Amino acid sequence: GAVVSQHPSRVICKSGTSVKIECRSLDFQATTMFWYRQFPKQSLMLMATSNEGSKATYEQGVEKDKFLINHASLTLSTLTVTSAHPEDSSFYICSAYLTRSTDTQYFGPGTRLTVL
Amino acid sequence: EDQVTQSPEALRLQEGESSSLNCSYTVSGLRGLFWYRQDPGKGPEFLFTLYSAGEEKEKERLKATLTKKESFLHITAPKPEDSATYLCAVEDDKLIFGTGTRLQVFP
């Protein structure tokens, strides 16, 4: 089946530093990837849609200057949390469509970010 | 406003005790209803996609059904390894998730 990987799986950083999270599609090409955030016992919330070769589309209320998204190839999207603060601590999950003709998103294993 | 509500929030079952999870939704233009399983600290694992009322899909002990207003995930004779949070999501122009049902199956 479709495999989406994320790296790192867990990261702890100091307040004010930047953190980069990678999302890779391992056995398929993904022109569109999605970034979600999930707080404890809450639902997944879409942050942004990442399109290969173009600018990401951010959901309302998500700061594009704080959450930088780059989708430089058909198998890699990155999310950089800039000047991280404790309130950015969360579980970040990416997803991708298997092919252009499907509307099923396959999710990565997630990245736990803790900002001290 | 598009909305997804799942019930119950938590469910404890004895091994072999069948039950159903509910997902009620309001969406302006349903493109699909999705069920995922999420284990603690992991990303959601795809289970089913349903597109139209009356549609049913099965996988092992799980069966998903869809009406115009809700979907059910039926679990038949569950085992402890079925313990997880089950997420429902609807797609309009994006995926909108419910908060999930946390299922615990005891031996």
Side-chain angles (χ1 to χ4, degrees):
Chain A
V3 179
V4 178
S5 71
Q6 282 184 242
H7 177 78
S9 58
R10 188 180 295 267
V11 58
I12 301 172
C13 69
K14 293 182 178 180
S15 186
T17 60
S18 294
V19 174
K20 180 185 284 188
I21 302 170
E22 293 185 347
C23 176
R24 293 182 185 273
S25 56
L26 295 185
D27 53 1
F28 63 100
Q29 294 183 330
T31 55
T32 302
M33 290 183 172
F34 304 88
W35 286 96
Y36 292 81
R37 182 166 54 183
Q38 186 177 33
F39 292 106
K41 296 188 177 181
Q42 292 190 25
S43 179
L44 277 78
M45 297 296 294
L46 179 66
M47 299 175 64
T49 302
S50 170
N51 300 296
E52 188 266 335
S54 64
K55 291 183 178 180
T57 303
Y58 291 82
E59 293 300 303
Q60 191 172 10
V62 178
E63 299 175 60
K64 59 183 66 177
D65 293 331
K66 180 167 188 61
F67 298 99
L68 300 180
I69 292 173
N70 183 279
H71 194 156
S73 78
L74 287 172
T75 59
L76 174 64
S77 176
T78 61
L79 169 68
T80 302
V81 183
T82 62
S83 187
H85 289 94
E87 56 266 30
D88 298 323
S89 298
S90 187
F91 193 51
Y92 292 87
I93 314 174
C94 70
S95 71
Y97 290 130
L98 178 57
T99 68
R100 291 179 189 272
S101 61
T102 186
D103 53 11
T104 298
Q105 292 183 30
Y106 291 86
F107 286 82
T111 297
R112 172 74 60 193
L113 170 63
T114 304
V115 185
L116 302 177
Chain B
E1 182 181 339
D2 297 344
Q3 195 168 6
V4 179
T5 303
Q6 290 188 247
S7 63
E9 285 188 19
L11 181 62
R12 292 164 58 99
L13 298 174
Q14 201 72 35
E15 183 173 4
E17 180 186 1
S18 301
S19 188
S20 295
L21 283 54
N22 177 263
C23 171
S24 298
Y25 64 91
T26 54
V27 63
S28 53
L30 181 69
R31 289 171 50 184
L33 185 141
F34 303 83
W35 282 97
Y36 289 88
R37 168 191 171 131
Q38 186 175 27
D39 292 297
K42 302 286 180 62
E45 175 189 341
F46 171 71
L47 294 174
F48 303 109
T49 307
L50 301 168
Y51 294 103
S52 56
E55 189 174 0
E56 298 182 354
K57 288 192 177 174
E58 284 188 70
K59 179 181 178 181
E60 296 181 351
R61 295 177 292 281
L62 300 177
K63 178 180 176 180
T65 62
L66 180 64
T67 72
K68 288 186 177 181
K69 293 184 178 180
E70 58 191 350
S71 176
F72 291 94
L73 184 65
H74 307 277
I75 303 179
T76 302
K79 298 181 178 181
E81 53 261 42
D82 294 324
S83 298
T85 295
Y86 290 85
L87 300 171
C88 170
V90 297
E91 185 167 39
D92 186 354
D93 58 345
K94 63 183 179 183
L95 264 188
I96 300 167
F97 279 87
T99 51
T101 293
R102 191 168 63 256
L103 173 66
Q104 291 180 295
V105 182
F106 294 92

